[in-house]
Structures are given as structure tokens and as C-alpha cells.
Amino acid sequence: RKEVEQDPGPFNVPEGATVAFNCTYSNSASQSFFWYRQDCRKEPKLLMSVYSSGNEDGRFTAQLNRASQYISLLIRDSKLSDSATYLCVVNPPGSARQLTFGSGTQLTVLP
Amino acid sequence: NAGVTQTPKFQVLKTGQSMTLQCAQDMNHNSMYWYRQDPGMGLRLIYYSASEGTTDKGEVPNGYNVSRLNKREFSLRLESAAPSQTSVYFCASSEIRSNQPQHFGDGTRLSIL
């Protein structure tokens, strides 16, 4: 089983739609969680950290479910500029600040 | 604000050639990392340096060496390039605290013929 698993997609949604991605992680003692965004042929960029109580940043909402070991990202009112690959990232315990990256979920927002 | 700077941006090598990828960060971060990214796969850690003076192997270290030259700079060397090392290489840096994310350079696209 992969340490971090994501549905690779692609997700093709119309502008204005709400879309949700899920990610599961294998190590129940993982400490930190993030969502990164990666545009085609570009570097990954931090989208948001994921906190235990859930957190929101504008149209983006992240949730953490430790009991089920999954993380979610909800994007409301999708924009064309949201088209990218979204990477789920986990910091397992005892990893000296190493991060484990999921393979990513590809999103295309259509006009 | 530069952040993490990688050089070169692109490189084509022949099998057996050697080269060094350079990375520098200006955020005063303690930790630095080298990843490779291949189509359909996530980022895979090659080597990391938790702090100046230390380096450790990641998931895929074979065929690579690293040097943490000082706090700012972390280089990746391919001693004898192989076609399997064709990839996009990313350098990243972070604070040492566990809840801090990593910041990435814009990558080096390396092709080995």
C-alpha cells in the first residue's frame, strides 16, 4: 500500500462547480498535512496546510479525519485558473522533516 | 524575493557524463531537499539535509551524491549519468519545525541520451 494515495483523476468540471478530492495516508501517527498545487511543468506550490479542526481559505476548504486517515480538499465556485494537479502531502513521524507526496489529482476546469 | 534558485533549468547529457545541479535558498532555512519527479509518479526524495553539515539518503539515492556546501547551498551530483535518471529535479527548503511546509525551486529538466 502506498503511504499516500490519491485518485489521479482527471476531474473535468465546468466553471462554477464544486469539486472535492480525497487522499488517504497509511501511517496513523503522521503529524502534518498539506495540499500543494502544481501547474503543468512547474514546481509544486503550497496551497494550504491542513489543521485538525479543518480550515478554509477563500474558496478552498481542507478537512482532516484522523480516525479514517484521510484528508480532503473542497474547491467551491471553480475558476479556469484552478486547473492544475493537486498534491496531498503528509509528514510521517520520525521522518526528520521529510514529506511524503501523493501522485496528485489532475483537475481541469472547463469554460 | 528569489526563494529557492536552481541551476541549470535544462540540461541534456550523454550516458556516462557527470554533472552537478546547483540549489541555493535565501530564506535562512535549515533543511534542504532534492526530489525527482517522473510522469505518473509523485515526487520522490533523493537526498536531504536536515541542517548544515548533515546529509541523509531518501527514497531513491542510488546514482547520486550531494553536498551541503553551507546553509544556503545544497548541490546534487550525477557521477555517471544513465537514461533512467532522465527526470525533472526539484530542490526544496524548509524550516526545521515539523509543521512548516517546503518551498520549491522551479526545477531542472534533465535528459540523458
Short mmCIF file of all heavy atoms in Angstrom, two decimals, chain A residues 4-74:
data_model
loop_
_atom_site.label_atom_id
_atom_site.label_comp_id
_atom_site.label_asym_id
_atom_site.label_seq_id
_atom_site.Cartn_x
_atom_site.Cartn_y
_atom_site.Cartn_z
N VAL A 4 0.81 7.47 0.70
CA VAL A 4 -0.20 8.49 0.45
C VAL A 4 -0.85 8.15 -0.89
O VAL A 4 -0.16 8.03 -1.90
CB VAL A 4 0.43 9.90 0.38
CG1 VAL A 4 -0.64 10.93 0.07
CG2 VAL A 4 1.14 10.23 1.68
N GLU A 5 -2.16 7.99 -0.89
CA GLU A 5 -2.86 7.61 -2.10
C GLU A 5 -3.89 8.66 -2.48
O GLU A 5 -4.64 9.15 -1.64
CB GLU A 5 -3.56 6.27 -1.92
CG GLU A 5 -2.59 5.11 -1.77
CD GLU A 5 -3.18 3.78 -2.16
OE1 GLU A 5 -3.55 3.61 -3.34
OE2 GLU A 5 -3.28 2.91 -1.28
N GLN A 6 -3.92 8.97 -3.76
CA GLN A 6 -4.89 9.92 -4.30
C GLN A 6 -5.50 9.33 -5.56
O GLN A 6 -4.84 8.60 -6.31
CB GLN A 6 -4.21 11.23 -4.71
CG GLN A 6 -3.62 12.03 -3.60
CD GLN A 6 -3.03 13.33 -4.13
OE1 GLN A 6 -1.82 13.50 -4.16
NE2 GLN A 6 -3.89 14.24 -4.53
N ASP A 7 -6.73 9.70 -5.84
CA ASP A 7 -7.35 9.39 -7.12
C ASP A 7 -6.68 10.27 -8.16
O ASP A 7 -6.70 11.48 -8.04
CB ASP A 7 -8.85 9.70 -7.04
CG ASP A 7 -9.59 9.38 -8.34
OD1 ASP A 7 -8.93 9.22 -9.40
OD2 ASP A 7 -10.81 9.31 -8.30
N PRO A 8 -6.06 9.68 -9.19
CA PRO A 8 -5.32 10.50 -10.15
C PRO A 8 -6.20 11.36 -11.05
O PRO A 8 -5.71 12.30 -11.67
CB PRO A 8 -4.55 9.46 -10.98
CG PRO A 8 -5.35 8.22 -10.84
CD PRO A 8 -5.95 8.24 -9.48
N GLY A 9 -7.51 11.04 -11.09
CA GLY A 9 -8.39 11.77 -11.99
C GLY A 9 -8.21 11.27 -13.43
O GLY A 9 -7.87 10.11 -13.63
N PRO A 10 -8.39 12.11 -14.45
CA PRO A 10 -8.62 13.55 -14.27
C PRO A 10 -10.06 13.88 -13.91
O PRO A 10 -10.97 13.15 -14.23
CB PRO A 10 -8.28 14.11 -15.66
CG PRO A 10 -8.62 12.99 -16.59
CD PRO A 10 -8.32 11.72 -15.86
N PHE A 11 -10.20 14.99 -13.21
CA PHE A 11 -11.50 15.55 -12.92
C PHE A 11 -11.70 16.71 -13.90
O PHE A 11 -10.89 17.63 -13.94
CB PHE A 11 -11.56 16.11 -11.49
CG PHE A 11 -11.67 15.06 -10.42
CD1 PHE A 11 -10.66 14.15 -10.19
CD2 PHE A 11 -12.80 15.00 -9.62
CE1 PHE A 11 -10.76 13.18 -9.20
CE2 PHE A 11 -12.92 14.03 -8.63
CZ PHE A 11 -11.90 13.13 -8.42
N ASN A 12 -12.75 16.62 -14.68
CA ASN A 12 -13.11 17.70 -15.62
C ASN A 12 -14.43 18.28 -15.16
O ASN A 12 -15.44 17.59 -15.16
CB ASN A 12 -13.23 17.16 -17.05
CG ASN A 12 -11.92 16.58 -17.55
OD1 ASN A 12 -10.86 17.16 -17.34
ND2 ASN A 12 -11.99 15.44 -18.21
N VAL A 13 -14.41 19.53 -14.74
CA VAL A 13 -15.62 20.14 -14.19
C VAL A 13 -15.88 21.48 -14.88
O VAL A 13 -14.95 22.14 -15.34
CB VAL A 13 -15.50 20.36 -12.66
CG1 VAL A 13 -15.22 19.03 -11.96
CG2 VAL A 13 -14.44 21.38 -12.33
N PRO A 14 -17.14 21.92 -14.95
CA PRO A 14 -17.43 23.23 -15.53
C PRO A 14 -17.11 24.33 -14.55
O PRO A 14 -17.10 24.13 -13.32
CB PRO A 14 -18.94 23.16 -15.81
CG PRO A 14 -19.45 22.19 -14.80
CD PRO A 14 -18.36 21.19 -14.58
N GLU A 15 -16.86 25.50 -15.09
CA GLU A 15 -16.65 26.68 -14.24
C GLU A 15 -17.82 26.84 -13.27
O GLU A 15 -18.97 26.64 -13.66
CB GLU A 15 -16.61 27.95 -15.12
CG GLU A 15 -15.25 28.52 -15.32
CD GLU A 15 -15.29 29.83 -16.08
OE1 GLU A 15 -15.86 29.85 -17.19
OE2 GLU A 15 -14.76 30.81 -15.54
N GLY A 16 -17.50 27.20 -12.05
CA GLY A 16 -18.55 27.41 -11.06
C GLY A 16 -18.91 26.17 -10.27
O GLY A 16 -19.61 26.26 -9.25
N ALA A 17 -18.43 25.03 -10.68
CA ALA A 17 -18.75 23.78 -9.98
C ALA A 17 -17.99 23.67 -8.67
O ALA A 17 -16.99 24.35 -8.46
CB ALA A 17 -18.43 22.58 -10.87
N THR A 18 -18.49 22.80 -7.81
CA THR A 18 -17.78 22.44 -6.59
C THR A 18 -17.16 21.06 -6.81
O THR A 18 -17.81 20.15 -7.32
CB THR A 18 -18.74 22.39 -5.41
OG1 THR A 18 -19.24 23.71 -5.16
CG2 THR A 18 -18.04 21.89 -4.15
N VAL A 19 -15.91 20.93 -6.44
CA VAL A 19 -15.21 19.66 -6.64
C VAL A 19 -14.47 19.30 -5.37
O VAL A 19 -13.98 20.19 -4.66
CB VAL A 19 -14.26 19.75 -7.85
CG1 VAL A 19 -13.19 20.81 -7.66
CG2 VAL A 19 -13.64 18.40 -8.17
N ALA A 20 -14.41 18.01 -5.08
CA ALA A 20 -13.74 17.54 -3.86
C ALA A 20 -12.76 16.45 -4.20
O ALA A 20 -13.04 15.56 -5.01
CB ALA A 20 -14.78 17.02 -2.86
N PHE A 21 -11.60 16.52 -3.57
CA PHE A 21 -10.59 15.49 -3.70
C PHE A 21 -10.35 14.86 -2.34
O PHE A 21 -10.33 15.55 -1.33
CB PHE A 21 -9.24 16.08 -4.15
CG PHE A 21 -9.32 16.94 -5.37
CD1 PHE A 21 -8.67 18.16 -5.42
CD2 PHE A 21 -10.04 16.53 -6.48
CE1 PHE A 21 -8.72 18.94 -6.55
CE2 PHE A 21 -10.10 17.31 -7.62
CZ PHE A 21 -9.44 18.53 -7.65
N ASN A 22 -10.12 13.56 -2.36
CA ASN A 22 -9.74 12.87 -1.13
C ASN A 22 -8.37 12.27 -1.25
O ASN A 22 -7.88 12.01 -2.36
CB ASN A 22 -10.75 11.75 -0.83
CG ASN A 22 -12.08 12.29 -0.37
OD1 ASN A 22 -12.14 13.36 0.25
ND2 ASN A 22 -13.14 11.59 -0.68
N CYS A 23 -7.78 12.03 -0.11
CA CYS A 23 -6.44 11.47 -0.04
C CYS A 23 -6.40 10.61 1.21
O CYS A 23 -6.92 11.01 2.25
CB CYS A 23 -5.44 12.63 0.04
SG CYS A 23 -3.81 12.20 0.63
N THR A 24 -5.80 9.43 1.12
CA THR A 24 -5.64 8.59 2.31
C THR A 24 -4.17 8.40 2.60
O THR A 24 -3.34 8.40 1.68
CB THR A 24 -6.30 7.21 2.13
OG1 THR A 24 -5.72 6.56 0.98
CG2 THR A 24 -7.79 7.34 1.93
N TYR A 25 -3.84 8.26 3.88
CA TYR A 25 -2.46 8.05 4.27
C TYR A 25 -2.37 6.82 5.16
O TYR A 25 -3.31 6.48 5.87
CB TYR A 25 -1.88 9.29 4.95
CG TYR A 25 -2.59 9.74 6.20
CD1 TYR A 25 -2.17 9.34 7.46
CD2 TYR A 25 -3.69 10.60 6.11
CE1 TYR A 25 -2.82 9.77 8.61
CE2 TYR A 25 -4.34 11.03 7.25
CZ TYR A 25 -3.90 10.61 8.50
OH TYR A 25 -4.56 11.03 9.63
N SER A 26 -1.22 6.15 5.12
CA SER A 26 -1.12 4.85 5.78
C SER A 26 -0.63 4.92 7.22
O SER A 26 -0.97 4.04 8.03
CB SER A 26 -0.20 3.93 4.97
OG SER A 26 1.10 4.48 4.88
N ASN A 27 0.15 5.93 7.56
CA ASN A 27 0.73 5.98 8.90
C ASN A 27 -0.14 6.82 9.83
O ASN A 27 -0.23 8.05 9.68
CB ASN A 27 2.15 6.56 8.83
CG ASN A 27 2.91 6.36 10.13
OD1 ASN A 27 2.34 6.48 11.21
ND2 ASN A 27 4.18 6.07 10.02
N SER A 28 -0.77 6.15 10.76
CA SER A 28 -1.73 6.82 11.64
C SER A 28 -1.08 7.86 12.55
O SER A 28 -1.76 8.71 13.11
CB SER A 28 -2.47 5.79 12.49
OG SER A 28 -1.54 5.07 13.30
N ALA A 29 0.24 7.79 12.71
CA ALA A 29 0.92 8.74 13.59
C ALA A 29 1.45 9.95 12.82
O ALA A 29 2.21 10.74 13.38
CB ALA A 29 2.07 8.02 14.31
N SER A 30 1.07 10.12 11.59
CA SER A 30 1.53 11.27 10.80
C SER A 30 1.15 12.57 11.48
O SER A 30 0.09 12.67 12.12
CB SER A 30 0.94 11.22 9.39
OG SER A 30 1.44 10.09 8.69
N GLN A 31 2.03 13.56 11.31
CA GLN A 31 1.91 14.76 12.12
C GLN A 31 1.34 15.97 11.38
O GLN A 31 0.53 16.70 11.92
CB GLN A 31 3.32 15.15 12.64
CG GLN A 31 4.01 14.07 13.44
CD GLN A 31 3.36 13.88 14.78
OE1 GLN A 31 2.84 14.82 15.36
NE2 GLN A 31 3.36 12.66 15.29
N SER A 32 1.84 16.20 10.18
CA SER A 32 1.47 17.41 9.46
C SER A 32 0.93 17.04 8.09
O SER A 32 1.34 16.04 7.50
CB SER A 32 2.69 18.33 9.28
OG SER A 32 3.33 18.57 10.49
N PHE A 33 0.04 17.90 7.60
CA PHE A 33 -0.64 17.60 6.34
C PHE A 33 -0.77 18.88 5.53
O PHE A 33 -1.02 19.96 6.09
CB PHE A 33 -2.04 17.03 6.63
CG PHE A 33 -2.01 15.89 7.61
CD1 PHE A 33 -2.14 16.12 8.97
CD2 PHE A 33 -1.86 14.58 7.16
CE1 PHE A 33 -2.10 15.08 9.88
CE2 PHE A 33 -1.82 13.53 8.07
CZ PHE A 33 -1.93 13.78 9.43
N PHE A 34 -0.61 18.73 4.21
CA PHE A 34 -0.65 19.90 3.34
C PHE A 34 -1.31 19.53 2.03
O PHE A 34 -1.29 18.37 1.61
CB PHE A 34 0.77 20.41 3.03
CG PHE A 34 1.65 20.63 4.24
CD1 PHE A 34 2.49 19.62 4.68
CD2 PHE A 34 1.64 21.84 4.90
CE1 PHE A 34 3.30 19.81 5.78
CE2 PHE A 34 2.46 22.03 6.01
CZ PHE A 34 3.29 21.02 6.44
N TRP A 35 -1.85 20.53 1.37
CA TRP A 35 -2.21 20.43 -0.04
C TRP A 35 -1.30 21.36 -0.82
O TRP A 35 -1.16 22.54 -0.46
CB TRP A 35 -3.67 20.82 -0.28
CG TRP A 35 -4.63 19.74 0.10
CD1 TRP A 35 -5.40 19.68 1.22
CD2 TRP A 35 -4.96 18.56 -0.66
NE1 TRP A 35 -6.17 18.54 1.23
CE2 TRP A 35 -5.92 17.84 0.07
CE3 TRP A 35 -4.55 18.05 -1.89
CZ2 TRP A 35 -6.46 16.64 -0.38
CZ3 TRP A 35 -5.08 16.85 -2.34
CH2 TRP A 35 -6.02 16.16 -1.59
N TYR A 36 -0.70 20.82 -1.87
CA TYR A 36 0.10 21.61 -2.80
C TYR A 36 -0.60 21.63 -4.15
O TYR A 36 -1.34 20.70 -4.49
CB TYR A 36 1.49 21.00 -2.98
CG TYR A 36 2.51 21.33 -1.92
CD1 TYR A 36 2.39 20.82 -0.63
CD2 TYR A 36 3.60 22.15 -2.20
CE1 TYR A 36 3.33 21.12 0.34
CE2 TYR A 36 4.55 22.45 -1.23
CZ TYR A 36 4.41 21.93 0.04
OH TYR A 36 5.35 22.22 1.00
N ARG A 37 -0.29 22.64 -4.90
CA ARG A 37 -0.81 22.75 -6.27
C ARG A 37 0.39 22.76 -7.20
O ARG A 37 1.42 23.41 -6.92
CB ARG A 37 -1.59 24.06 -6.38
CG ARG A 37 -1.94 24.44 -7.78
CD ARG A 37 -2.34 25.89 -7.89
NE ARG A 37 -2.44 26.22 -9.31
CZ ARG A 37 -3.52 26.70 -9.89
NH1 ARG A 37 -4.60 26.95 -9.16
NH2 ARG A 37 -3.55 26.96 -11.17
N GLN A 38 0.27 22.03 -8.32
CA GLN A 38 1.35 22.02 -9.30
C GLN A 38 0.76 22.25 -10.68
O GLN A 38 -0.04 21.44 -11.18
CB GLN A 38 2.12 20.70 -9.26
CG GLN A 38 3.34 20.70 -10.18
CD GLN A 38 4.22 19.47 -10.00
OE1 GLN A 38 3.76 18.42 -9.59
NE2 GLN A 38 5.51 19.61 -10.32
N ASP A 39 1.16 23.35 -11.29
CA ASP A 39 0.78 23.63 -12.67
C ASP A 39 1.70 22.85 -13.60
O ASP A 39 2.83 22.48 -13.23
CB ASP A 39 0.86 25.12 -12.94
CG ASP A 39 -0.17 25.88 -12.13
OD1 ASP A 39 -1.36 25.70 -12.40
OD2 ASP A 39 0.20 26.63 -11.22
N CYS A 40 1.22 22.66 -14.83
CA CYS A 40 1.96 21.85 -15.80
C CYS A 40 3.39 22.36 -15.96
O CYS A 40 3.62 23.55 -16.24
CB CYS A 40 1.22 21.87 -17.13
SG CYS A 40 1.93 20.75 -18.34
N ARG A 41 4.36 21.47 -15.75
CA ARG A 41 5.77 21.76 -15.94
C ARG A 41 6.29 22.87 -15.00
O ARG A 41 7.25 23.56 -15.31
CB ARG A 41 6.05 22.13 -17.40
CG ARG A 41 5.67 21.01 -18.37
CD ARG A 41 5.95 21.40 -19.81
NE ARG A 41 7.37 21.56 -20.08
CZ ARG A 41 8.22 20.58 -20.29
NH1 ARG A 41 7.80 19.33 -20.24
NH2 ARG A 41 9.49 20.83 -20.55
N LYS A 42 5.62 23.02 -13.87
CA LYS A 42 6.06 24.00 -12.89
C LYS A 42 6.36 23.30 -11.56
O LYS A 42 6.09 22.11 -11.41
CB LYS A 42 4.98 25.05 -12.66
CG LYS A 42 4.62 25.83 -13.90
CD LYS A 42 5.65 26.88 -14.20
CE LYS A 42 5.17 27.82 -15.29
NZ LYS A 42 6.19 28.86 -15.58
N GLU A 43 6.89 24.07 -10.61
CA GLU A 43 7.17 23.50 -9.31
C GLU A 43 5.91 23.41 -8.45
O GLU A 43 4.98 24.22 -8.62
CB GLU A 43 8.25 24.33 -8.59
CG GLU A 43 7.78 25.65 -8.00
CD GLU A 43 7.80 26.78 -9.00
OE1 GLU A 43 7.79 26.52 -10.22
OE2 GLU A 43 7.79 27.94 -8.55
N PRO A 44 5.87 22.49 -7.49
CA PRO A 44 4.75 22.45 -6.54
C PRO A 44 4.77 23.70 -5.67
O PRO A 44 5.83 24.18 -5.26
CB PRO A 44 5.04 21.21 -5.69
CG PRO A 44 6.03 20.42 -6.46
CD PRO A 44 6.84 21.40 -7.25
N LYS A 45 3.59 24.22 -5.40
CA LYS A 45 3.46 25.38 -4.53
C LYS A 45 2.44 25.07 -3.44
O LYS A 45 1.40 24.46 -3.70
CB LYS A 45 3.01 26.61 -5.32
CG LYS A 45 4.07 27.11 -6.29
CD LYS A 45 3.63 28.37 -6.99
CE LYS A 45 4.73 28.87 -7.91
NZ LYS A 45 4.34 30.09 -8.65
N LEU A 46 2.74 25.52 -2.24
CA LEU A 46 1.84 25.26 -1.12
C LEU A 46 0.50 25.95 -1.36
O LEU A 46 0.44 27.15 -1.61
CB LEU A 46 2.46 25.78 0.17
CG LEU A 46 1.59 25.63 1.41
CD1 LEU A 46 1.44 24.16 1.77
CD2 LEU A 46 2.18 26.43 2.57
N LEU A 47 -0.56 25.18 -1.29
CA LEU A 47 -1.91 25.73 -1.38
C LEU A 47 -2.41 26.06 0.04
O LEU A 47 -2.83 27.17 0.31
CB LEU A 47 -2.84 24.73 -2.06
CG LEU A 47 -4.29 25.13 -2.21
CD1 LEU A 47 -4.42 26.32 -3.15
CD2 LEU A 47 -5.14 23.96 -2.71
N MET A 48 -2.36 25.07 0.90
CA MET A 48 -2.76 25.30 2.29
C MET A 48 -2.31 24.15 3.18
O MET A 48 -2.16 23.02 2.72
CB MET A 48 -4.28 25.49 2.41
CG MET A 48 -5.12 24.36 1.88
SD MET A 48 -6.84 24.83 1.59
CE MET A 48 -7.36 25.44 3.19
N SER A 49 -2.09 24.48 4.43
CA SER A 49 -1.87 23.45 5.44
C SER A 49 -3.24 22.90 5.85
O SER A 49 -4.26 23.56 5.64
CB SER A 49 -1.16 24.04 6.65
OG SER A 49 0.09 24.58 6.27
N VAL A 50 -3.25 21.73 6.43
CA VAL A 50 -4.49 21.11 6.87
C VAL A 50 -4.43 20.94 8.38
O VAL A 50 -3.53 20.26 8.88
CB VAL A 50 -4.72 19.73 6.21
CG1 VAL A 50 -6.08 19.18 6.61
CG2 VAL A 50 -4.59 19.82 4.70
N TYR A 51 -5.35 21.55 9.07
CA TYR A 51 -5.36 21.51 10.52
C TYR A 51 -6.43 20.54 11.01
O TYR A 51 -7.41 20.25 10.32
CB TYR A 51 -5.59 22.90 11.10
CG TYR A 51 -4.56 23.90 10.64
CD1 TYR A 51 -4.92 25.06 9.96
CD2 TYR A 51 -3.20 23.68 10.87
CE1 TYR A 51 -3.97 25.96 9.52
CE2 TYR A 51 -2.24 24.58 10.44
CZ TYR A 51 -2.63 25.71 9.76
OH TYR A 51 -1.70 26.60 9.33
N SER A 52 -6.25 20.06 12.23
CA SER A 52 -7.13 19.03 12.78
C SER A 52 -8.59 19.45 12.79
O SER A 52 -9.48 18.63 12.58
CB SER A 52 -6.70 18.68 14.20
OG SER A 52 -5.41 18.11 14.19
N SER A 53 -8.83 20.74 13.02
CA SER A 53 -10.21 21.23 13.12
C SER A 53 -10.79 21.59 11.77
O SER A 53 -11.93 22.02 11.67
CB SER A 53 -10.24 22.44 14.04
OG SER A 53 -9.34 23.41 13.58
N GLY A 54 -10.00 21.40 10.71
CA GLY A 54 -10.44 21.84 9.39
C GLY A 54 -10.15 23.32 9.21
O GLY A 54 -10.11 24.07 10.19
N ASN A 55 -9.92 23.75 8.00
CA ASN A 55 -9.62 25.16 7.77
C ASN A 55 -10.04 25.55 6.36
O ASN A 55 -10.16 24.71 5.47
CB ASN A 55 -8.14 25.47 8.04
CG ASN A 55 -7.18 24.51 7.38
OD1 ASN A 55 -7.17 23.31 7.66
ND2 ASN A 55 -6.35 25.04 6.50
N GLU A 56 -10.25 26.84 6.23
CA GLU A 56 -10.79 27.39 4.99
C GLU A 56 -9.92 28.55 4.55
O GLU A 56 -9.43 29.33 5.39
CB GLU A 56 -12.22 27.86 5.26
CG GLU A 56 -13.03 28.26 4.04
CD GLU A 56 -14.48 28.55 4.42
OE1 GLU A 56 -15.15 27.65 4.97
OE2 GLU A 56 -14.93 29.69 4.17
N ASP A 57 -9.74 28.67 3.25
CA ASP A 57 -9.01 29.81 2.71
C ASP A 57 -9.74 30.23 1.44
O ASP A 57 -9.55 29.63 0.37
CB ASP A 57 -7.56 29.43 2.40
CG ASP A 57 -6.75 30.60 1.88
OD1 ASP A 57 -7.29 31.72 1.78
OD2 ASP A 57 -5.56 30.40 1.58
N GLY A 58 -10.63 31.19 1.58
CA GLY A 58 -11.42 31.62 0.44
C GLY A 58 -12.30 30.50 -0.07
O GLY A 58 -13.13 29.97 0.66
N ARG A 59 -12.13 30.12 -1.32
CA ARG A 59 -12.97 29.07 -1.93
C ARG A 59 -12.49 27.65 -1.58
O ARG A 59 -13.12 26.67 -2.00
CB ARG A 59 -12.96 29.25 -3.45
CG ARG A 59 -13.54 30.58 -3.92
CD ARG A 59 -13.54 30.69 -5.44
NE ARG A 59 -12.18 30.77 -6.00
CZ ARG A 59 -11.59 29.80 -6.66
NH1 ARG A 59 -12.21 28.65 -6.88
NH2 ARG A 59 -10.37 29.96 -7.15
N PHE A 60 -11.41 27.54 -0.85
CA PHE A 60 -10.80 26.25 -0.57
C PHE A 60 -11.03 25.85 0.89
O PHE A 60 -10.80 26.66 1.79
CB PHE A 60 -9.29 26.30 -0.86
CG PHE A 60 -8.96 26.61 -2.29
CD1 PHE A 60 -8.89 27.92 -2.73
CD2 PHE A 60 -8.73 25.60 -3.20
CE1 PHE A 60 -8.60 28.22 -4.05
CE2 PHE A 60 -8.42 25.87 -4.52
CZ PHE A 60 -8.36 27.20 -4.94
N THR A 61 -11.46 24.61 1.09
CA THR A 61 -11.65 24.09 2.44
C THR A 61 -10.93 22.75 2.56
O THR A 61 -11.10 21.88 1.71
CB THR A 61 -13.14 23.87 2.74
OG1 THR A 61 -13.83 25.12 2.63
CG2 THR A 61 -13.33 23.33 4.16
N ALA A 62 -10.13 22.62 3.60
CA ALA A 62 -9.41 21.36 3.85
C ALA A 62 -9.94 20.73 5.13
O ALA A 62 -10.25 21.43 6.09
CB ALA A 62 -7.92 21.64 3.97
N GLN A 63 -10.05 19.42 5.10
CA GLN A 63 -10.52 18.67 6.27
C GLN A 63 -9.57 17.51 6.53
O GLN A 63 -9.00 16.93 5.59
CB GLN A 63 -11.92 18.10 6.02
CG GLN A 63 -13.00 19.12 5.81
CD GLN A 63 -13.51 19.69 7.12
OE1 GLN A 63 -13.16 19.24 8.21
NE2 GLN A 63 -14.35 20.72 7.02
N LEU A 64 -9.43 17.18 7.80
CA LEU A 64 -8.60 16.05 8.21
C LEU A 64 -9.46 15.11 9.05
O LEU A 64 -10.10 15.55 10.00
CB LEU A 64 -7.41 16.55 9.03
CG LEU A 64 -6.56 15.51 9.75
CD1 LEU A 64 -5.89 14.56 8.77
CD2 LEU A 64 -5.53 16.19 10.64
N ASN A 65 -9.44 13.85 8.72
CA ASN A 65 -10.13 12.84 9.51
C ASN A 65 -9.09 11.83 9.97
O ASN A 65 -8.71 10.93 9.22
CB ASN A 65 -11.21 12.16 8.67
CG ASN A 65 -12.04 11.17 9.48
OD1 ASN A 65 -11.50 10.41 10.30
ND2 ASN A 65 -13.34 11.17 9.27
N ARG A 66 -8.62 12.01 11.19
CA ARG A 66 -7.54 11.15 11.70
C ARG A 66 -8.03 9.71 11.91
O ARG A 66 -7.29 8.77 11.69
CB ARG A 66 -6.98 11.70 13.01
CG ARG A 66 -6.09 12.93 12.83
CD ARG A 66 -5.39 13.26 14.13
NE ARG A 66 -4.59 14.47 14.03
CZ ARG A 66 -3.33 14.49 13.63
NH1 ARG A 66 -2.72 13.38 13.27
NH2 ARG A 66 -2.67 15.64 13.59
N ALA A 67 -9.26 9.54 12.31
CA ALA A 67 -9.77 8.20 12.59
C ALA A 67 -9.77 7.35 11.32
O ALA A 67 -9.43 6.16 11.33
CB ALA A 67 -11.18 8.28 13.16
N SER A 68 -10.12 7.97 10.20
CA SER A 68 -10.17 7.25 8.93
C SER A 68 -8.93 7.47 8.09
O SER A 68 -8.80 6.90 7.00
CB SER A 68 -11.41 7.68 8.13
OG SER A 68 -12.58 7.41 8.86
N GLN A 69 -8.04 8.30 8.58
CA GLN A 69 -6.77 8.57 7.90
C GLN A 69 -6.99 9.10 6.49
O GLN A 69 -6.42 8.58 5.52
CB GLN A 69 -5.86 7.33 7.93
CG GLN A 69 -5.43 6.97 9.34
CD GLN A 69 -4.62 5.70 9.42
OE1 GLN A 69 -4.77 4.92 10.36
NE2 GLN A 69 -3.75 5.47 8.47
N TYR A 70 -7.83 10.10 6.39
CA TYR A 70 -7.94 10.75 5.10
C TYR A 70 -8.03 12.27 5.25
O TYR A 70 -8.39 12.81 6.28
CB TYR A 70 -9.08 10.19 4.25
CG TYR A 70 -10.47 10.70 4.55
CD1 TYR A 70 -10.89 11.95 4.11
CD2 TYR A 70 -11.38 9.90 5.21
CE1 TYR A 70 -12.17 12.41 4.36
CE2 TYR A 70 -12.66 10.34 5.45
CZ TYR A 70 -13.05 11.59 5.03
OH TYR A 70 -14.32 12.03 5.27
N ILE A 71 -7.64 12.90 4.15
CA ILE A 71 -7.63 14.36 4.04
C ILE A 71 -8.45 14.71 2.81
O ILE A 71 -8.43 13.98 1.82
CB ILE A 71 -6.19 14.86 3.82
CG1 ILE A 71 -5.23 14.30 4.87
CG2 ILE A 71 -6.13 16.38 3.82
CD1 ILE A 71 -3.83 14.18 4.35
N SER A 72 -9.17 15.79 2.90
CA SER A 72 -9.96 16.21 1.75
C SER A 72 -9.69 17.67 1.42
O SER A 72 -9.25 18.45 2.26
CB SER A 72 -11.45 16.00 2.02
OG SER A 72 -11.87 16.84 3.07
N LEU A 73 -9.94 17.99 0.17
CA LEU A 73 -9.86 19.37 -0.31
C LEU A 73 -11.12 19.65 -1.11
O LEU A 73 -11.44 18.91 -2.04
CB LEU A 73 -8.63 19.58 -1.19
CG LEU A 73 -8.48 20.97 -1.81
CD1 LEU A 73 -8.20 22.01 -0.73
CD2 LEU A 73 -7.38 20.98 -2.86
N LEU A 74 -11.81 20.71 -0.73
CA LEU A 74 -13.03 21.12 -1.42
C LEU A 74 -12.78 22.45 -2.09
O LEU A 74 -12.28 23.38 -1.45
CB LEU A 74 -14.18 21.24 -0.42
CG LEU A 74 -15.55 21.61 -1.00
CD1 LEU A 74 -16.18 20.38 -1.65
CD2 LEU A 74 -16.47 22.15 0.10
#
